[in-house]
């Protein structure tokens, strides 16, 4: 599959068209951004790690019955995916309180959430991805009732699969963000699942092993991502 034109450059990935209009190539760059792109740094090896980590997770999700856009790895830092009509929505499930939930509700970080919470956010950097609800999504026609139901069901299904996967590798899946898109009449999981878009803590020490190390200037960002990949058995080299 030949890479053709650059379609779009986001904060961390560049999207290319291919010979096949139904397929795209995602290039995972080393750029690491936080605070809606206000803080940006290049972290050596990060693109390769996230590309291979994402491939590993997408395959686990497919095996667990979640349909995804992932086709195959095409290089160390590129993957072939189905060309989705993305919904402008982020779906977040939280098992433990952290991040914007704590800032918004004034609650302490680290509380177990039983049952886990579900939130929708609008994908809009200038507006800082505001939180939205089902009613906003319907009124502004960002997705249908049926797609809302599917996004919730699939995001929780991902939680069941990945919580167990990370638990077996000595980690807590604190929270994560997913994006979905339309393809041939079906809703598929798109974008990526990597330590850039989730929170993972060591189960014993509660050490942070995700992008919070970058957001909070804790250092050892790539080392933490490599640690997570190593524990899961993701082959990097
Ligand atoms: P951001 O948009 O947050 O800056 P990225 O740098 O990761 O994020 O850019 C990747 C872009 O590609 C995102 O806008 C995402 O919604 C989009 N995307 C991801 N997977 C697909 C896909 N399979 N088909 C079409 N677009 C996709
Ligand atoms: N997240 C993401 N992209 C975003 C916003 C959030 O990948 O644009 C992820 C984030 O890494 C975390 C989860 O979604 O795992 C919940 O993020 P939160 O709402 O707490 O926002 P944050 O404080 O991380 O910006």
């Amino acid at each position: 599959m030949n890479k053709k034109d650059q379609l779009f450059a986001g904060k961390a990935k560049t999207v290319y068209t291919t010979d096949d209009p139904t397929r795209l190539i995602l290039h995972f760059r080393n750029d690491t951004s936080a605070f809606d792109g206000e803080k940006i740094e290049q972290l050596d090896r990060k693109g390769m790690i996230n590309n291979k980590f994402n491939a590993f997770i997408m395959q686990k999700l497919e095996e667990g019955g979640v349909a995804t856009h992932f086709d195959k790895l095409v290089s160390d830092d590129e993957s072939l995916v189905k060309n989705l009509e993305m919904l402008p929505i982020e779906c977040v499930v939280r098992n433990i309180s952290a991040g914007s939930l704590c800032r918004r509700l004034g609650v302490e970080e680290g509380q177990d959430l039983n049952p886990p919470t579900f939130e929708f956010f609008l994908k809009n950097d200038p507006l800082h991805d505001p939180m939205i609800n089902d009613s906003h999504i319907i009124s502004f026609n960002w997705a249908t009732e049926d797609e809302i139901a599917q996004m919730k069901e699939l995001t929780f299904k991902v939680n069941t699969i990945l919580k167990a996967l990370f638990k077996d590798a000595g980690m807590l899946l604190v929270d994560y963000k997913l994006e979905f898109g339309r393809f041939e009449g079906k809703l598929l999981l798109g974008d990526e699942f990597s330590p850039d878009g989730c929170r993972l803590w060591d189960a014993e020490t509660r050490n942070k092993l995700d992008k919070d190390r970058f957001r909070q200037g804790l250092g050892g960002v790539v080392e933490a991502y490599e640690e997570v990949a190593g524990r899961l058995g993701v082959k990097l080299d």
Side-chain angles (χ1 to χ4, degrees):
M1 188 70 60
N2 287 318
K3 195 159 91 179
K4 286 178 75 185
D5 304 316
Q6 180 177 314
L7 196 61
F8 175 76
K11 295 187 294 297
K13 297 192 289 302
T14 307
V15 184
Y16 294 90
T17 58
T18 66
D19 300 336
D20 178 348
T22 70
R23 295 295 187 274
L24 296 173
I25 285 179
L26 294 186
H27 172 215
F28 289 69
R29 306 195 314 271
N30 287 336
D31 297 272
T32 312
S33 80
F35 314 121
D36 303 311
E38 272 174 35
K39 176 176 176 175
I40 300 178
E41 278 174 37
Q42 288 272 317
L43 298 179
D44 203 29
R45 286 169 63 81
K46 203 256 324 184
M48 178 275 291
I49 296 168
N50 278 5
N51 184 40
K52 293 185 179 174
F53 189 92
N54 175 63
F56 178 90
I57 296 287
M58 290 280 168
Q59 281 160 13
K60 291 284 177 198
L61 294 176
E62 290 275 359
E63 286 164 23
V66 176
T68 82
H69 67 157
F70 182 77
D71 274 353
K72 61 177 183 178
L73 287 170
V74 289
S75 75
D76 271 358
D77 56 6
E78 293 168 311
S79 286
L80 185 71
V81 298
K82 296 179 182 71
N83 184 358
L84 308 187
E85 183 195 338
M86 297 301 291
L87 304 181
I89 293 169
E90 299 185 339
C91 302
V92 171
V93 159
R94 302 176 192 268
N95 296 303
I96 300 176
S97 59
S100 76
L101 182 75
C102 297
R103 294 195 297 277
R104 216 177 325 119
L105 304 183
V107 297
E108 291 258 320
E109 182 180 90
Q111 293 181 50
D112 284 343
L113 303 172
N114 284 317
T117 62
F118 181 95
E119 296 160 336
F120 283 123
F121 295 91
L122 182 66
K123 240 182 106 69
N124 185 321
D125 280 337
L127 296 180
H128 307 292
D129 294 348
M131 194 172 170
I132 52 174
N133 61 28
D134 302 34
S135 163
H136 297 133
I137 294 175
I138 294 298
S139 296
F140 292 105
N141 203 22
W142 289 320
T144 65
E145 290 273 11
D146 182 51
E147 286 168 337
I148 290 174
Q150 284 189 61
M151 282 192 280
K152 289 180 186 171
E153 191 190 325
L154 290 168
T155 307
F156 278 118
K157 190 165 182 178
V158 166
N159 201 31
T160 306
I161 299 166
L162 295 189
K163 239 180 11 178
L165 187 81
F166 286 114
K167 184 166 182 254
D168 290 347
M171 288 171 278
L172 300 171
L173 178 58
V174 173
D175 58 32
Y176 55 92
K177 179 268 298 179
L178 301 180
E179 293 179 29
F180 294 89
R182 301 174 181 135
F183 185 78
E184 295 175 355
K186 277 191 70 181
L187 200 67
L188 304 187
L189 176 62
D191 205 48
E192 70 177 279
F193 190 101
S194 77
D196 268 4
C198 70
R199 289 191 169 91
L200 293 165
W201 293 352
D202 178 85
E204 289 290 312
T205 63
R206 296 208 156 197
N207 274 346
K208 296 179 198 298
L209 299 169
D210 55 70
K211 199 159 88 172
D212 267 353
R213 300 203 69 82
F214 177 73
R215 292 189 189 97
Q216 298 173 7
L218 300 174
V221 182
V222 170
E223 291 78 1
Y225 287 25
E226 280 179 326
E227 167 77 23
V228 173
R231 287 194 199 185
L232 288 179
V234 180
K235 267 175 65 93
L236 294 181
D237 295 305

